[in-house]
Amino acid sequence: MDSLKLSTILLSLLSLATITQAQDPNYLVCSCPNTTTFTRNSTYQANLNLLLSSLSSNSTRNNINGFYNVSAGKDPDEVYGMFLCRGDVSNSVCRNCVNFATKDILKKCPIGKVATIWYDECELRYSNRNFFSAEYDSPVFFSNRYYVTVEPERFNQLVAITLSNISTRAASAPSGDKKFAVQQANYNLQILRTLVQCTPDLSTPDCRRCLAGAISKLGSCCDGKQGGIVIFARCNIRYELYEFYNATAAAEAVPAPPPVSLSPPPASGSETRRKGKGGVSTGLIIAIVIPVAVSLVLFYLGFCFLCRRAKSNKYFAQDNDVANEITTVESLQFDLSSIEDSKRFVRHLKSEEPRRSCIKI
């Protein structure tokens, strides 16, 4: 009897592990230009099937850093393809995402010669044109529907600065290594999370240019939005107010620097310089002592004046304190509600997934 219970438990755990491992990747968007199509059962379709099979089989390799490109066939029916997994995902997650994508893309783009599909975990694309040597092409935008209403300009600035900082770090990785970086930054009571990635075969200058081009597009798609993605063929950037990557795995892949913060510029005149080898000059002493003496006299006169008005100002000051407390509470309520908006947006994407179709260009 005990052995039967043990067998049942082991089978249940094995089934749960299988279900977890085979979990479908989180679909984001796909692109299927309707200007180029192929005929069913044609040579191009046969080459496409070979290419997708090659991408799927090579996703099991452990020495490719989540990236692989290949071509199949000969001109004019040659097909070029690639996949790129997010830099923090495991080999098993990458393999599962690519295998799923090779089937899913044919459902969403059944006769397209050019197609690209994106998930949270990976992207896969193929084309009848060689895009391997291109630094970047026309981007695809994907933005959160909710706007930031507390200091949106400061938020935009923080997004741009953080993405620029980690772009330099990602691009500096040696060719063939993962060109991937993430970073967090504090924004009010929330945490901004950012990610950039290039294909490992790009050189440092090409990766930097590609990411700079992606960042420059944020104003066109994502101005003031709580989240956004810009995707080129060879690089992509993303930012959100919720966690969309595995922070632990990302830190192991690429160590992150300290969080970014926007500090006010230092006040002018905050630094003093020592001149000459001798002591302080008489003119400098006079320049310091006289303003200090005048300030003390003005402070004393002002203190006497304020003491006379203490009673009349007492209740006004309390009113201001209450108003400040209300403002703080309202800001807290907004920040918590905006976090919930982001979570609802993610849940909405998942609930709308069966009804979302590819972008037709």
Side-chain angles (χ1 to χ4, degrees):
M1 189 67 178
D2 292 337
S3 61
L4 179 60
K5 290 182 178 179
L6 180 60
S7 300
T8 304
I9 293 173
L10 290 175
L11 287 174
S12 300
L13 292 175
L14 181 61
S15 300
L16 179 60
T18 303
I19 292 172
T20 303
Q21 185 177 7
Q23 184 178 4
D24 293 345
N26 183 33
Y27 169 76
L28 293 177
V29 67
C30 67
S31 172
C32 294
N34 56 12
T35 54
T36 54
T37 58
F38 61 82
T39 306
R40 294 184 185 277
N41 300 320
S42 62
T43 303
Y44 189 89
Q45 184 177 23
N47 291 336
L48 175 59
N49 291 336
L50 288 174
L51 179 132
L52 293 175
S53 176
S54 177
L55 291 175
S56 179
S57 61
N58 280 283
S59 66
T60 62
R61 295 168 55 184
N62 296 326
N63 61 343
I64 58 174
N65 284 327
F67 169 73
Y68 187 75
N69 58 16
V70 68
S71 63
K74 297 181 179 180
D75 191 61
D77 296 309
E78 189 168 7
V79 191
Y80 303 86
M82 59 159 277
F83 68 76
L84 176 66
C85 292
R86 204 177 66 210
D88 62 302
V89 302
S90 64
N91 290 334
S92 60
V93 171
C94 177
R95 177 174 62 251
N96 179 62
C97 184
V98 173
N99 289 339
F100 186 86
T102 57
K103 302 175 181 65
D104 195 27
I105 197 169
L106 292 178
K107 296 176 182 178
K108 292 178 168 61
C109 307
I111 58 173
K113 284 190 174 183
V114 181
T116 309
I117 192 165
W118 292 274
Y119 306 87
D120 263 337
E121 299 83 358
C122 73
E123 69 170 276
L124 183 145
R125 67 172 61 215
Y126 57 81
S127 174
N128 61 332
R129 294 183 299 175
N130 186 355
F131 55 81
F132 297 156
S133 60
E135 293 178 15
Y136 51 87
D137 57 355
S138 298
V140 172
F141 307 128
F142 192 62
S143 64
N144 194 307
R145 66 176 60 192
Y146 297 108
Y147 285 89
V148 171
T149 57
V150 175
E151 299 182 287
E153 292 301 323
R154 176 176 171 267
F155 180 76
N156 289 340
Q157 182 183 8
L158 183 61
V159 169
I161 290 176
T162 310
L163 287 172
S164 296
N165 288 343
I166 59 177
S167 294
T168 301
R169 185 153 48 95
S172 63
S175 181
D177 288 358
K178 287 184 179 180
K179 292 183 178 293
F180 166 81
V182 299
Q183 189 168 343
Q184 297 181 2
N186 295 323
Y187 170 70
N188 290 346
L189 298 179
Q190 302 177 68
I191 297 177
L192 170 69
R193 294 173 172 87
T194 59
L195 178 152
V196 300
Q197 186 170 9
C198 292
T199 56
D201 61 327
L202 278 187
S203 66
T204 294
D206 288 344
C207 177
R208 188 181 295 116
R209 278 194 294 268
C210 185
L211 292 173
I215 295 172
S216 69
K217 301 296 182 182
L218 287 175
S220 304
C221 72
C222 314
D223 186 21
K225 296 289 188 70
Q226 292 185 15
I229 309 173
V230 179
I231 307 172
F232 284 106
R234 309 307 297 274
C235 72
N236 61 81
I237 63 173
R238 183 176 183 180
Y239 72 91
E240 304 285 358
L241 288 177
Y242 61 86
E243 188 168 0
F244 63 93
Y245 55 80
N246 187 326
T248 303
E252 292 175 354
V254 183
V260 173
S261 60
L262 294 178
S263 302
S268 59
S270 60
E271 297 182 357
T272 58
R273 298 180 180 178
R274 182 181 300 176
K275 295 183 178 180
K277 296 182 180 179
V280 181
S281 65
T282 304
L284 181 59
I285 294 176
I286 295 174
I288 294 175
V289 171
I290 292 179
V292 170
V294 173
S295 299
L296 289 174
V297 173
L298 292 176
F299 176 79
Y300 176 77
L301 295 176
F303 178 77
C304 294
F305 177 74
L306 290 174
C307 287
R308 295 179 182 178
R309 299 190 58 185
K311 289 186 178 180
S312 61
N313 284 343
K314 179 179 179 180
Y315 298 104
F316 179 75
Q318 288 177 346
D319 290 341
N320 278 342
D321 290 341
V322 172
N324 290 335
E325 289 178 5
I326 293 174
T327 302
T328 303
V329 172
E330 289 177 346
S331 299
L332 175 61
Q333 291 173 344
F334 167 79
D335 289 327
L336 293 177
S337 64
S338 62
I339 293 173
E340 289 301 317
D341 285 341
S342 294
K343 292 180 178 178
R344 283 197 298 271
F345 174 68
V346 177
R347 291 194 295 268
H348 170 77
L349 289 180
K350 293 181 178 179
S351 64
E352 291 288 315
E353 181 173 328
R355 285 179 282 177
R356 284 183 287 145
S357 59
C358 286
I359 301 171
K360 305 296 183 182
I361 302 176

